[in-house]
Amino acid sequence: MCMHLTCTNMDPEIIDDALEECRKAGIKNILALRGDPPADMDDVLDGHGEDAMDQDTVKFVYAVDLVKYIKDKYGNEFCVGVAGYPEGHFDLSGEYDQDPVRDLEYLKKKIDAGADFVITQLFYDVDKFIEFEQMFNDQISKEIPLFPGLMPINSYLLFNRAAKLSHASIPQRILDRFPPEIQYDDDAVKSVGVEILIEIIEEIFKKTEGRIKCFHFYTLNLEKAIAQIVS
């Protein structure tokens, strides 16, 4: 089990309360995320920016702040994960284009702060993940686990919406698997979606020569497709 914990503009007491609840429940894995900033923080946030732990008014601005806080206060009691972006993090301000190479700098800061593993944003383009994995190995670490984040395709509308929200590209060869006559048939879409996810997993395993053998599923509480993929 892995607790997703966001931190932007969060009071440390709230973070401590959440971690204490994790202790009680026996949860040891924490995914440290920035989360969406409030609208009035636009003047504070500048792209990924720098560490904000020394500011009096804002204790947590970025995920790296949360990683440092957990590791400084709790040591290795929790296994802390962070997000990675195979296609680059989307900048809400529009100042920067998505650039996975630039994002590696910030991912490295999170690893240096003590992060134990990385889960990627959802993607459907295997080649972009393979490029990201190679850069990660070459520039950051060959030892830190990198888990591909995959979202099963349960409906055509949800599939497209999720990809747009996360700014993940969808290869044309995958879109072609959903002709208009099945796009509103959720059972047919789910069946094709299961096949696509299985192919993506097998392709990643083959192209990484077995280095990547663990995967994270974004389930959205829809477990049937996951069960089919796993089986």
Side-chain angles (χ1 to χ4, degrees):
M1 190 174 295
C2 184
M3 166 79 166
H4 291 208
L5 189 58
T6 59
C7 70
T8 297
N9 205 26
M10 196 76 72
D11 191 302
E13 290 184 3
I14 297 176
I15 298 295
D16 288 331
D17 288 344
L19 293 172
E20 185 58 34
E21 289 300 315
C22 287
R23 272 177 167 170
K24 293 177 181 177
I27 298 172
K28 296 296 185 181
N29 300 310
I30 307 293
L31 186 61
L33 303 169
R34 186 187 79 174
D36 294 329
D40 59 0
M41 284 188 66
D42 289 344
D43 57 337
V44 176
L45 298 177
D46 176 23
H48 288 268
E50 294 297 331
D51 184 344
M53 288 294 287
D54 292 332
Q55 296 184 17
D56 293 332
T57 56
V58 181
K59 296 299 182 184
F60 303 102
V61 177
Y62 302 102
V64 65
D65 302 328
L66 180 56
V67 175
K68 287 181 179 179
Y69 182 81
I70 295 173
K71 287 299 182 178
D72 288 346
K73 187 164 185 177
Y74 298 91
N76 291 322
E77 181 172 354
F78 295 104
C79 182
V80 180
V82 294
Y85 298 88
E87 299 185 59
H89 184 273
F90 180 75
D91 175 39
L92 291 173
S93 72
E95 184 176 353
Y96 304 103
D97 293 329
Q98 285 178 261
D99 184 356
V101 176
R102 186 189 69 242
D103 284 350
L104 284 178
E105 174 188 348
Y106 306 110
L107 181 54
K108 187 176 188 306
K109 287 182 179 180
K110 291 186 282 189
I111 298 298
D112 291 344
D116 300 294
F117 64 94
V118 178
I119 294 177
T120 77
Q121 173 66 284
L122 69 90
F123 65 90
Y124 295 100
D125 191 324
V126 171
D127 289 337
K128 290 184 177 178
F129 170 78
I130 297 300
E131 292 173 4
F132 177 77
E133 191 252 358
Q134 191 61 59
M135 289 190 296
F136 182 82
N137 287 341
D138 291 343
Q139 300 181 37
I140 297 181
S141 174
K142 291 184 172 69
E143 307 301 324
I144 299 292
L146 175 65
F147 302 126
L150 303 176
M151 180 177 285
I153 302 169
N154 288 291
S155 81
Y156 188 74
L157 292 177
L158 180 60
F159 164 51
N160 276 275
R161 186 179 302 127
K164 287 178 181 178
L165 287 172
S166 60
H167 301 273
S169 60
I170 304 175
Q172 187 61 46
R173 65 182 180 276
I174 290 181
L175 290 173
D176 290 342
R177 303 274 287 274
F178 299 100
E181 57 266 25
I182 75 164
Q183 289 179 7
Y184 295 96
D185 182 340
D186 285 351
D187 288 337
V189 168
K190 187 181 298 182
S191 179
V192 173
V194 167
E195 294 176 0
I196 289 171
L197 265 289
I198 290 171
E199 291 166 7
I200 286 175
I201 291 167
E202 291 179 340
E203 186 178 358
I204 290 172
F205 184 79
K206 181 177 180 181
K207 287 187 174 181
T208 62
E209 299 179 332
R211 289 190 305 276
I212 301 293
K213 53 189 175 183
C214 294
F215 299 83
H216 174 82
F217 292 107
Y218 295 101
T219 66
L220 300 183
N221 296 320
L222 300 172
E223 80 287 348
K224 291 184 179 179
I226 304 295
Q228 292 179 41
I229 293 166
V230 171
S231 65

